PDB file of all heavy atoms in Angstrom:
ATOM      1  N   LEU A 199     -11.074  20.062  18.407  1.00  0.00           N
ATOM      2  CA  LEU A 199     -10.490  18.697  18.495  1.00  0.00           C
ATOM      3  C   LEU A 199      -9.345  18.694  19.507  1.00  0.00           C
ATOM      4  O   LEU A 199      -9.225  17.751  20.298  1.00  0.00           O
ATOM      5  CB  LEU A 199      -9.995  18.236  17.132  1.00  0.00           C
ATOM      6  CG  LEU A 199     -11.063  17.984  16.060  1.00  0.00           C
ATOM      7  CD1 LEU A 199     -10.427  17.776  14.701  1.00  0.00           C
ATOM      8  CD2 LEU A 199     -11.931  16.781  16.438  1.00  0.00           C
ATOM      9  N   GLN A 200      -8.562  19.713  19.516  1.00  0.00           N
ATOM     10  CA  GLN A 200      -7.439  19.851  20.436  1.00  0.00           C
ATOM     11  C   GLN A 200      -7.958  19.825  21.893  1.00  0.00           C
ATOM     12  O   GLN A 200      -7.376  19.094  22.715  1.00  0.00           O
ATOM     13  CB  GLN A 200      -6.721  21.178  20.104  1.00  0.00           C
ATOM     14  CG  GLN A 200      -5.588  21.583  21.002  1.00  0.00           C
ATOM     15  CD  GLN A 200      -5.172  22.986  20.725  1.00  0.00           C
ATOM     16  OE1 GLN A 200      -5.973  23.927  20.883  1.00  0.00           O
ATOM     17  NE2 GLN A 200      -3.952  23.187  20.288  1.00  0.00           N
ATOM     18  N   GLN A 201      -8.989  20.549  22.123  1.00  0.00           N
ATOM     19  CA  GLN A 201      -9.516  20.646  23.490  1.00  0.00           C
ATOM     20  C   GLN A 201     -10.236  19.334  23.915  1.00  0.00           C
ATOM     21  O   GLN A 201     -10.137  18.903  25.051  1.00  0.00           O
ATOM     22  CB  GLN A 201     -10.425  21.841  23.605  1.00  0.00           C
ATOM     23  CG  GLN A 201      -9.656  23.180  23.472  1.00  0.00           C
ATOM     24  CD  GLN A 201     -10.595  24.388  23.402  1.00  0.00           C
ATOM     25  OE1 GLN A 201     -11.798  24.241  23.171  1.00  0.00           O
ATOM     26  NE2 GLN A 201     -10.031  25.547  23.546  1.00  0.00           N
ATOM     27  N   ARG A 202     -11.005  18.765  22.998  1.00  0.00           N
ATOM     28  CA  ARG A 202     -11.785  17.605  23.319  1.00  0.00           C
ATOM     29  C   ARG A 202     -10.926  16.354  23.475  1.00  0.00           C
ATOM     30  O   ARG A 202     -11.238  15.466  24.284  1.00  0.00           O
ATOM     31  CB  ARG A 202     -12.861  17.343  22.227  1.00  0.00           C
ATOM     32  CG  ARG A 202     -14.100  18.171  22.387  1.00  0.00           C
ATOM     33  CD  ARG A 202     -15.219  17.621  21.560  1.00  0.00           C
ATOM     34  NE  ARG A 202     -15.025  17.892  20.146  1.00  0.00           N
ATOM     35  CZ  ARG A 202     -15.385  17.086  19.148  1.00  0.00           C
ATOM     36  NH1 ARG A 202     -15.909  15.911  19.381  1.00  0.00           N
ATOM     37  NH2 ARG A 202     -15.177  17.446  17.877  1.00  0.00           N
ATOM     38  N   HIS A 203      -9.892  16.250  22.691  1.00  0.00           N
ATOM     39  CA  HIS A 203      -9.112  14.991  22.651  1.00  0.00           C
ATOM     40  C   HIS A 203      -7.712  15.162  23.253  1.00  0.00           C
ATOM     41  O   HIS A 203      -6.945  14.181  23.273  1.00  0.00           O
ATOM     42  CB  HIS A 203      -8.993  14.462  21.209  1.00  0.00           C
ATOM     43  CG  HIS A 203     -10.299  14.177  20.569  1.00  0.00           C
ATOM     44  ND1 HIS A 203     -11.051  13.067  20.905  1.00  0.00           N
ATOM     45  CD2 HIS A 203     -11.008  14.869  19.647  1.00  0.00           C
ATOM     46  CE1 HIS A 203     -12.188  13.066  20.198  1.00  0.00           C
ATOM     47  NE2 HIS A 203     -12.182  14.131  19.392  1.00  0.00           N
ATOM     48  N   GLY A 204      -7.343  16.365  23.695  1.00  0.00           N
ATOM     49  CA  GLY A 204      -6.057  16.551  24.303  1.00  0.00           C
ATOM     50  C   GLY A 204      -4.900  16.283  23.356  1.00  0.00           C
ATOM     51  O   GLY A 204      -3.877  15.710  23.743  1.00  0.00           O
ATOM     52  N   LEU A 205      -5.070  16.686  22.086  1.00  0.00           N
ATOM     53  CA  LEU A 205      -4.080  16.379  21.066  1.00  0.00           C
ATOM     54  C   LEU A 205      -2.748  17.070  21.368  1.00  0.00           C
ATOM     55  O   LEU A 205      -2.711  18.199  21.878  1.00  0.00           O
ATOM     56  CB  LEU A 205      -4.565  16.832  19.689  1.00  0.00           C
ATOM     57  CG  LEU A 205      -5.808  16.116  19.108  1.00  0.00           C
ATOM     58  CD1 LEU A 205      -6.219  16.772  17.810  1.00  0.00           C
ATOM     59  CD2 LEU A 205      -5.517  14.646  18.898  1.00  0.00           C
ATOM     60  N   THR A 206      -1.687  16.371  20.987  1.00  0.00           N
ATOM     61  CA  THR A 206      -0.348  16.976  20.986  1.00  0.00           C
ATOM     62  C   THR A 206      -0.009  17.311  19.563  1.00  0.00           C
ATOM     63  O   THR A 206      -0.039  16.438  18.668  1.00  0.00           O
ATOM     64  CB  THR A 206       0.692  15.996  21.574  1.00  0.00           C
ATOM     65  OG1 THR A 206       0.267  15.607  22.878  1.00  0.00           O
ATOM     66  CG2 THR A 206       2.084  16.628  21.631  1.00  0.00           C
ATOM     67  N   CYS A 207       0.321  18.596  19.281  1.00  0.00           N
ATOM     68  CA  CYS A 207       0.451  19.018  17.881  1.00  0.00           C
ATOM     69  C   CYS A 207       1.703  19.861  17.665  1.00  0.00           C
ATOM     70  O   CYS A 207       2.142  20.584  18.576  1.00  0.00           O
ATOM     71  CB  CYS A 207      -0.749  19.861  17.449  1.00  0.00           C
ATOM     72  SG  CYS A 207      -2.358  19.040  17.571  1.00  0.00           S
ATOM     73  N   LEU A 208       2.227  19.737  16.473  1.00  0.00           N
ATOM     74  CA  LEU A 208       3.154  20.720  15.924  1.00  0.00           C
ATOM     75  C   LEU A 208       2.419  21.456  14.826  1.00  0.00           C
ATOM     76  O   LEU A 208       2.056  20.882  13.787  1.00  0.00           O
ATOM     77  CB  LEU A 208       4.424  20.019  15.352  1.00  0.00           C
ATOM     78  CG  LEU A 208       5.415  20.938  14.625  1.00  0.00           C
ATOM     79  CD1 LEU A 208       6.001  21.980  15.596  1.00  0.00           C
ATOM     80  CD2 LEU A 208       6.529  20.107  14.000  1.00  0.00           C
ATOM     81  N   PHE A 209       2.149  22.750  15.035  1.00  0.00           N
ATOM     82  CA  PHE A 209       1.375  23.542  14.116  1.00  0.00           C
ATOM     83  C   PHE A 209       2.333  24.458  13.325  1.00  0.00           C
ATOM     84  O   PHE A 209       2.970  25.340  13.934  1.00  0.00           O
ATOM     85  CB  PHE A 209       0.325  24.358  14.871  1.00  0.00           C
ATOM     86  CG  PHE A 209      -0.501  25.236  13.976  1.00  0.00           C
ATOM     87  CD1 PHE A 209      -1.475  24.677  13.129  1.00  0.00           C
ATOM     88  CD2 PHE A 209      -0.341  26.627  13.996  1.00  0.00           C
ATOM     89  CE1 PHE A 209      -2.251  25.517  12.321  1.00  0.00           C
ATOM     90  CE2 PHE A 209      -1.105  27.421  13.183  1.00  0.00           C
ATOM     91  CZ  PHE A 209      -2.067  26.876  12.328  1.00  0.00           C
ATOM     92  N   ILE A 210       2.411  24.275  12.037  1.00  0.00           N
ATOM     93  CA  ILE A 210       3.327  25.002  11.192  1.00  0.00           C
ATOM     94  C   ILE A 210       2.564  26.081  10.483  1.00  0.00           C
ATOM     95  O   ILE A 210       1.512  25.778   9.822  1.00  0.00           O
ATOM     96  CB  ILE A 210       4.053  24.107  10.221  1.00  0.00           C
ATOM     97  CG1 ILE A 210       4.927  23.087  10.979  1.00  0.00           C
ATOM     98  CG2 ILE A 210       4.886  24.879   9.218  1.00  0.00           C
ATOM     99  CD1 ILE A 210       5.509  22.017  10.124  1.00  0.00           C
ATOM    100  N   SER A 211       3.036  27.311  10.491  1.00  0.00           N
ATOM    101  CA  SER A 211       2.313  28.436   9.907  1.00  0.00           C
ATOM    102  C   SER A 211       3.240  29.591   9.627  1.00  0.00           C
ATOM    103  O   SER A 211       4.314  29.686  10.204  1.00  0.00           O
ATOM    104  CB  SER A 211       1.139  28.863  10.825  1.00  0.00           C
ATOM    105  OG  SER A 211       0.398  29.884  10.212  1.00  0.00           O
ATOM    106  N   HIS A 212       2.806  30.484   8.746  1.00  0.00           N
ATOM    107  CA  HIS A 212       3.490  31.771   8.582  1.00  0.00           C
ATOM    108  C   HIS A 212       2.637  32.894   9.247  1.00  0.00           C
ATOM    109  O   HIS A 212       3.043  34.053   9.226  1.00  0.00           O
ATOM    110  CB  HIS A 212       3.672  32.093   7.092  1.00  0.00           C
ATOM    111  CG  HIS A 212       2.347  32.231   6.356  1.00  0.00           C
ATOM    112  ND1 HIS A 212       1.739  31.130   5.774  1.00  0.00           N
ATOM    113  CD2 HIS A 212       1.556  33.264   6.127  1.00  0.00           C
ATOM    114  CE1 HIS A 212       0.614  31.535   5.225  1.00  0.00           C
ATOM    115  NE2 HIS A 212       0.478  32.836   5.409  1.00  0.00           N
ATOM    116  N   SER A 213       1.522  32.510   9.877  1.00  0.00           N
ATOM    117  CA  SER A 213       0.589  33.486  10.431  1.00  0.00           C
ATOM    118  C   SER A 213       0.714  33.552  11.949  1.00  0.00           C
ATOM    119  O   SER A 213       0.363  32.619  12.666  1.00  0.00           O
ATOM    120  CB  SER A 213      -0.858  33.107  10.072  1.00  0.00           C
ATOM    121  OG  SER A 213      -1.791  33.848  10.795  1.00  0.00           O
ATOM    122  N   MET A 214       1.171  34.670  12.458  1.00  0.00           N
ATOM    123  CA  MET A 214       1.278  34.820  13.930  1.00  0.00           C
ATOM    124  C   MET A 214      -0.104  34.795  14.597  1.00  0.00           C
ATOM    125  O   MET A 214      -0.241  34.231  15.678  1.00  0.00           O
ATOM    126  CB  MET A 214       2.014  36.116  14.233  1.00  0.00           C
ATOM    127  CG  MET A 214       3.494  36.088  13.819  1.00  0.00           C
ATOM    128  SD  MET A 214       4.459  34.831  14.640  1.00  0.00           S
ATOM    129  CE  MET A 214       4.761  35.589  16.223  1.00  0.00           C
ATOM    130  N   PRO A 215      -1.172  35.388  14.005  1.00  0.00           N
ATOM    131  CA  PRO A 215      -2.468  35.321  14.701  1.00  0.00           C
ATOM    132  C   PRO A 215      -2.970  33.888  14.857  1.00  0.00           C
ATOM    133  O   PRO A 215      -3.558  33.529  15.891  1.00  0.00           O
ATOM    134  CB  PRO A 215      -3.394  36.135  13.773  1.00  0.00           C
ATOM    135  CG  PRO A 215      -2.477  37.102  13.113  1.00  0.00           C
ATOM    136  CD  PRO A 215      -1.208  36.349  12.907  1.00  0.00           C
ATOM    137  N   LEU A 216      -2.769  33.051  13.871  1.00  0.00           N
ATOM    138  CA  LEU A 216      -3.164  31.645  14.003  1.00  0.00           C
ATOM    139  C   LEU A 216      -2.373  30.908  15.086  1.00  0.00           C
ATOM    140  O   LEU A 216      -2.954  30.145  15.849  1.00  0.00           O
ATOM    141  CB  LEU A 216      -2.995  30.911  12.642  1.00  0.00           C
ATOM    142  CG  LEU A 216      -3.977  31.234  11.536  1.00  0.00           C
ATOM    143  CD1 LEU A 216      -3.672  30.377  10.303  1.00  0.00           C
ATOM    144  CD2 LEU A 216      -5.405  31.045  11.980  1.00  0.00           C
ATOM    145  N   VAL A 217      -1.096  31.175  15.114  1.00  0.00           N
ATOM    146  CA  VAL A 217      -0.243  30.569  16.123  1.00  0.00           C
ATOM    147  C   VAL A 217      -0.657  31.007  17.544  1.00  0.00           C
ATOM    148  O   VAL A 217      -0.771  30.206  18.445  1.00  0.00           O
ATOM    149  CB  VAL A 217       1.230  30.930  15.865  1.00  0.00           C
ATOM    150  CG1 VAL A 217       2.112  30.654  17.067  1.00  0.00           C
ATOM    151  CG2 VAL A 217       1.744  30.160  14.650  1.00  0.00           C
TER     152      VAL A 217
END
Side-chain angles (χ1 to χ4, degrees):
L199 292 171
Q200 177 191 60
Q201 293 172 346
R202 278 195 287 145
H203 300 286
L205 294 176
T206 304
C207 302
L208 175 62
F209 179 73
I210 296 171
S211 182
H212 62 271
S213 169
M214 294 298 281
L216 287 183
V217 165

